[in-house]
Amino acid sequence: GAVVSQHPSWVICKSGTSVKIECRSLDFQATTMFWYRQFPKQSLMLMATSNEGSKATYEQGVEKDKFLINHASLTLSTLTVTSAHPEDSSFYICSAPKAGDDEQYFGPGTRLTVT
Amino acid sequence: GENVEQHPSTLSVQEGDSAVIKCTYSDSASNYFPWYKQELGKGPQLIIDIRSNVGEKKDQRIAVTLNKTAKHFSLHITETQPEDSAVYFCAASIREYGNKLVFGAGTILRVKS
C-alpha cells in the first residue's frame, strides 16, 4: 500500500496564533492532496484540494485566507490555520491518491486544540 | 452537488451476527464507492471499495453491493467480532471531477461479546 503521514499528530495553540500542519506522501508522488476537517462525532468534510504547482481550490464556505494551503512538492502539502480561534479546534485529516487511481490514502490526522 | 446519506447512525449486534450498513447517493455520475473504518483518534482506513462497473465485491468477511439504478450501496460484515467495533463511513466520488470524496454521516457499530 501507500503511506501518508501527518505532522504533528496533535498541537495546542493559543487563540490568535497560527499553526502549520504537514501532510506527506512517503512512498509515492501526489500531484493532488485533499484536506478534511472532522468535528467530534461528525463526518469528514472536505475543506480544499491542494494542487502541486498551482493554487488550492476551496470548498464553499471555507475561508481561503484563514486556511492557507501550499503544495510545495510532489510529496508535501501544508495547511496553515491563521489567527486560530477555539472554534477551529478540530481533527484535520489529509489524503492523497496515486496518479490514475481512485483510491485515496489517508493520513493519521492532526488534533488541533485552540485555547 | 453530491449528497450521500447513511443509515443507521448506530448499530449494535451480537458477536457472530451480521451487520449491514446502507448508503444512498444523489449524483448518478458517481463511479467510485469506498467504505472506511475509523477508530477513535485515527484517520479513516479503507476496508473495501467498489466501482460503478461492478455490482458486488467480497473480501473475506466483508462485502459491498452496488445498485446503480437505485443509487444505493451497502456494506455487509459477517461473523462480526468485537474488534469490528468502530465508526464506518461510506463515500462516493466522481473520477472525472477530481475524485473528491463526499462522505456519509457515519455509523457507530458496536459488537457485543
Side-chain angles (χ1 to χ4, degrees):
Chain A
V3 180
V4 173
S5 70
Q6 284 184 239
H7 178 79
S9 56
W10 61 269
V11 58
I12 301 173
C13 71
K14 293 190 175 181
S15 187
T17 62
S18 296
V19 61
K20 181 185 287 187
I21 302 169
E22 293 184 350
C23 177
R24 292 182 186 273
S25 55
L26 297 185
D27 50 1
F28 67 100
Q29 294 183 332
T31 56
T32 300
M33 291 183 174
F34 299 95
W35 287 96
Y36 299 84
R37 181 167 52 182
Q38 185 179 32
F39 292 109
K41 299 186 179 181
Q42 293 189 23
S43 187
L44 285 78
M45 294 298 294
L46 180 66
M47 299 175 65
T49 303
S50 172
N51 304 296
E52 192 271 337
S54 63
K55 291 184 178 180
T57 54
Y58 291 81
E59 296 300 302
Q60 192 172 7
V62 177
E63 300 174 60
K64 62 180 181 181
D65 294 330
K66 179 170 183 61
F67 299 100
L68 302 179
I69 291 174
N70 182 27
H71 202 132
S73 73
L74 288 172
T75 59
L76 173 64
S77 174
T78 60
L79 168 68
T80 301
V81 183
T82 63
S83 187
H85 289 97
E87 55 265 31
D88 298 324
S89 299
S90 188
F91 195 48
Y92 291 86
I93 308 169
C94 69
S95 73
K98 287 183 178 179
D101 197 351
D102 294 323
E103 182 177 350
Q104 291 188 25
Y105 301 90
F106 282 82
T110 296
R111 172 74 58 194
L112 170 64
T113 301
V114 185
T115 61
Chain B
E2 173 71 286
N3 182 50
V4 177
E5 295 191 356
Q6 182 173 346
H7 298 280
S9 56
T10 60
L11 178 60
S12 291
V13 299
Q14 204 65 36
E15 181 179 0
D17 287 350
S18 296
V20 180
I21 303 172
K22 299 181 178 182
C23 288
T24 60
Y25 60 98
S26 61
D27 195 331
S28 57
S30 292
N31 48 24
Y32 178 63
F33 307 92
W35 285 90
Y36 297 93
K37 176 183 181 182
Q38 187 179 31
E39 297 178 339
L40 193 63
K42 297 184 179 181
Q45 175 190 6
L46 178 73
I47 56 171
I48 197 166
D49 57 8
I50 192 167
R51 289 164 177 80
S52 58
N53 59 346
V54 177
E56 185 174 355
K57 183 178 178 180
K58 188 174 182 180
D59 182 4
Q60 300 183 332
R61 297 188 296 112
I62 297 173
V64 56
T65 59
L66 172 65
N67 183 326
K68 288 191 297 183
T69 303
K71 290 190 284 189
H72 69 70
F73 56 114
S74 300
L75 176 70
H76 305 253
I77 305 175
T78 59
E79 301 172 25
T80 54
Q81 301 167 2
E83 50 266 38
D84 293 329
S85 297
V87 182
Y88 291 81
F89 292 98
C90 64
S93 69
I94 303 172
R95 188 177 307 118
E96 292 76 9
Y97 293 171
N99 286 100
K100 293 197 293 186
L101 287 169
V102 177
F103 282 82
T107 297
I108 300 171
L109 174 64
R110 296 191 183 95
V111 180
K112 297 174 286 186
S113 57

